[in-house]
Amino acid sequence: MKLAYKLSIFLLVIFTFGEITFSLTNYQIKRICEKEKKELTCLRNFREKKSNLQKGIPIEIPVIPYKK
């Protein structure tokens, strides 16, 4: 009985929060782009990616390797 209850709660959480996407706020985008040379280009690119993400269009996320 406990297993069925836990499984149903798990599935409910997965299906409820599985399709939610989190995007950066405009303030976070501005803070990130302040450090770049071409600030306006950076802002434009981030805002375009944000709108694509909110529309459900997949975006590419660059992976930067961790260096010790």
Side-chain angles (χ1 to χ4, degrees):
M1 186 69 172
K2 286 183 182 180
L3 180 63
Y5 177 71
K6 288 182 181 180
L7 182 63
S8 64
I9 294 295
F10 176 73
L11 292 175
L12 177 69
V13 169
I14 291 295
F15 288 118
T16 303
F17 299 111
E19 294 296 320
I20 296 176
T21 59
F22 298 103
S23 59
L24 297 173
T25 63
N26 287 335
Y27 179 72
Q28 290 172 326
I29 291 172
K30 185 176 178 182
R31 286 190 60 207
I32 291 170
C33 290
E34 283 177 349
K35 301 169 189 167
E36 298 292 323
K37 271 188 172 181
K38 298 181 180 181
E39 185 176 350
L40 293 177
T41 306
C42 177
L43 287 170
R44 189 178 317 117
N45 289 339
F46 265 110
R47 289 189 178 140
E48 182 180 327
K49 287 180 182 181
K50 178 182 175 181
S51 68
N52 287 344
L53 188 63
Q54 289 174 340
K55 291 176 188 174
I57 301 170
I59 60 171
E60 289 186 26
I61 301 173
V63 178
I64 301 169
Y66 177 74
K67 295 181 182 178
K68 281 189 169 183

